[in-house]
Amino acid sequence: MNLYGTRLQEKLNEALKAVLPIIGIVLFLSFTIVPISPSILMAFLIGAVLLIIGMMFFSLGAELSMTPMGEKVGGSLTQTRKLWLMILLSFILGFIITISEPDLQVLAEQVPSIPNLVLILAVACGVGLFLVTALLRMLFSISLPKMLFVFYAIVFGLAFFVPKDFLSVAFDSGGVTTGPMTVPFIMAFGIGISAIRSDKHASDDSFGLVALCSIGPILAVLVLGLIYHPESSEYIPEVLPTIDNSIELWRMFSHGIPHYMMEMAVSLFPIVLFFGIFQLISREIHKRALIRIVVGLIYTYVGLFLFLTGVNIGFMPAGNYLGQMLASLPYRWIIVPIGMLIGYFIVLAEPAVFVLTKQVEEITSGAISAKAMGLSLSIGVSVSLGLAMIRVLTGISIFWFIIPGYAIALFLSLFVPKIFTAIAFDSGGVASGPMTATFLLPFAIGASVSVGGNIVRDAFGVVAMVAMTPLITIQVLGLVYKLRSGHSGKGVSHMEPKEAFALLADDDIIEL
């Protein structure tokens, strides 16, 4: 228990470092240029406390449960040597984990003219199929950049035939479905598969699963858009809550907690059931490790329902109201730098970002540090929010940002070490999680309401923008390392990642 207490203290410190800057920004704005009602501000602060506690429990729970579960399932699956069984189980795994993703429920409510169940099942099938694709890529050592070129060519080809009011939501779906439930399991699943391989590129290929699994939902939603041809796509934003006293404030949270407890119980059940059947059949995990996983699942469950309660009840109204007020100011352009500042810090509060940065640091033996990853993601998301706010103010089509952005990312993939390409495209899906869906998206919607723009075309797409820019920033980081290590007489492509990074000064990351 002392060990768990120490680990919880570490996770609490990490959560505080991630969330306190966001709280500081909102408080500073509320006391200077954006008057926020006391009820919304109090709900935001209570939500922030729940978010911090939830992140603390979730990040420890994911380490104790999701990561070892994914590694064991991935390793055992590869050892069967039966390709048909590996394909079948990978599809089932991708399908049930996607259904477990809480952010998918939020997306389903916002897509016009398509029944929720149809959308959820289609997206789950998309993730399942692309998890199978990712598995085959790892087993047969297929180049990730080549696959990305082919699949994104198909995506953009389909996108030109989809109604404009549907386009932004389709691209948003790729980021939303790779959230706190999906990422830890799929990342560890890839590590488990790569552990069976003995070649020197095995660790590189352990990344890229999230990248491919992010494409499946986009294709699935685009196909649905072609089938359903939505005519009525008007999005009606939710009414901001009016809280008159402290009792009503408590009632709002006390009603929300049981709701999210039930939602997360339903979400976690398919994963627990799958792993339970796996353990009964394989007997891979010993009793002590199994107890550790059970404790981790409890921590994960507690962390996620507290996190979702905090962000949905506290952060969502605050984000919407903040966006409305900033965009209604005489100098509304200020929303661009403020959005960039919020984006820089908010990505560090995404639960799945903790998992990705730690696993990247571990699999590269510290060559790619969590600090460097976090800095690169923050810069990328900051640029994303700046561009997203420009879209809200001007109404420019998302195509003018998405097509050049992905073209640059795919072009860079031809020159950077393959591990950077895989990590970069994984990071895009990871950076756009529940914090983006419940604070940044409402922030953009609120701004669009004040500007009088088309909410579906202008505000939606912020998730897609957040998912796009890390693909560029992290590959630029890889390109810089490759060029500088090349001057030292050793190429990154011919050496282990840790060797390559050892050639450079620590300050280079900060300069970038």
Side-chain angles (χ1 to χ4, degrees), residues 410-423:
L410 291 170
F411 179 74
L412 284 172
S413 71
L414 300 175
F415 304 99
V416 304
K418 59 189 294 187
I419 189 170
F420 278 99
T421 298
I423 291 172

Side-chain angles (χ1 to χ4, degrees), residues 106-410:
V106 178
L107 178 73
E109 293 291 338
Q110 296 173 347
V111 177
S113 304
I114 295 181
N116 289 3
L117 183 62
V118 173
L119 178 69
I120 290 169
L121 292 177
V123 170
C125 285
V127 175
L129 287 172
F130 273 79
L131 185 59
V132 171
T133 304
L135 172 74
L136 295 175
R137 180 190 80 83
M138 293 182 68
L139 292 178
F140 297 106
S141 299
I142 302 171
S143 169
L144 179 63
K146 290 179 182 177
M147 296 185 76
L148 292 174
F149 268 102
V150 171
F151 288 125
Y152 276 110
I154 296 170
V155 164
F156 287 112
L158 280 176
F160 280 104
F161 300 98
V162 172
K164 291 181 180 179
D165 288 342
F166 198 80
L167 192 61
S168 296
V169 178
F171 278 98
D172 279 353
S173 67
V176 166
T177 49
T178 48
M181 292 297 296
T182 313
V183 171
F185 206 98
I186 288 182
M187 286 285 295
F189 181 73
I191 293 169
I193 294 172
S194 68
I196 303 300
R197 287 173 47 185
S198 57
D199 60 287
K200 63 179 182 179
H201 295 301
S203 63
D204 293 8
D205 288 342
S206 67
F207 296 104
L209 273 77
V210 175
L212 289 170
C213 289
S214 298
I215 301 173
I218 300 175
L219 281 174
V221 178
L222 286 174
V223 170
L224 284 179
L226 293 173
I227 295 171
Y228 279 85
H229 297 290
E231 299 294 335
S232 175
S233 58
E234 184 180 356
Y235 177 78
I236 301 174
E238 293 185 13
V239 178
L240 293 176
T242 303
I243 307 166
D244 295 326
N245 53 61
S246 57
I247 294 176
E248 287 188 10
L249 180 64
W250 163 246
R251 188 178 295 126
M252 189 169 66
F253 278 94
S254 63
H255 288 172
I257 288 175
H259 169 75
Y260 291 109
M261 286 179 71
M262 179 59 69
E263 185 175 295
M264 289 319 306
V266 172
S267 295
L268 272 173
F269 178 73
I271 297 176
V272 174
L273 180 64
F274 180 91
F275 185 73
I277 295 171
F278 164 80
Q279 174 64 12
L280 285 173
I281 295 172
S282 66
R283 304 285 183 181
E284 278 281 324
I285 301 176
H286 300 297
K287 184 178 179 181
R288 189 171 179 179
L290 199 59
I291 293 172
R292 183 184 173 93
I293 288 174
V294 171
V295 172
L297 284 171
I298 294 170
Y299 281 168
T300 302
Y301 171 68
V302 172
L304 279 176
F305 82 71
L306 289 176
F307 180 91
L308 288 175
T309 303
V311 294
N312 281 289
I313 297 177
F315 268 54
M316 190 178 285
N320 192 307
Y321 190 82
L322 201 62
Q324 285 188 39
M325 293 297 101
L326 284 170
S328 62
L329 293 171
Y331 41 92
R332 61 176 54 166
W333 56 266
I334 200 172
I335 199 171
V336 176
I338 289 175
M340 293 181 72
L341 184 64
I342 293 172
Y344 183 88
F345 289 105
I346 205 166
V347 68
L348 299 178
E350 290 286 6
V353 167
F354 278 107
V355 178
L356 176 71
T357 55
K358 294 295 184 186
Q359 288 190 338
V360 168
E361 188 172 62
E362 182 181 333
I363 199 70
T364 60
S365 302
I368 306 174
S369 68
K371 183 179 178 181
M373 279 286 298
L375 181 64
S376 300
L377 287 173
S378 290
I379 292 171
V381 174
S382 177
V383 173
S384 299
L385 263 293
L387 295 174
M389 292 306 104
I390 291 172
R391 282 189 62 235
V392 169
L393 295 178
T394 61
I396 299 173
S397 170
I398 193 173
F399 262 140
W400 289 100
F401 298 96
I402 289 290
I403 292 179
Y406 275 95
I408 292 169
L410 291 170

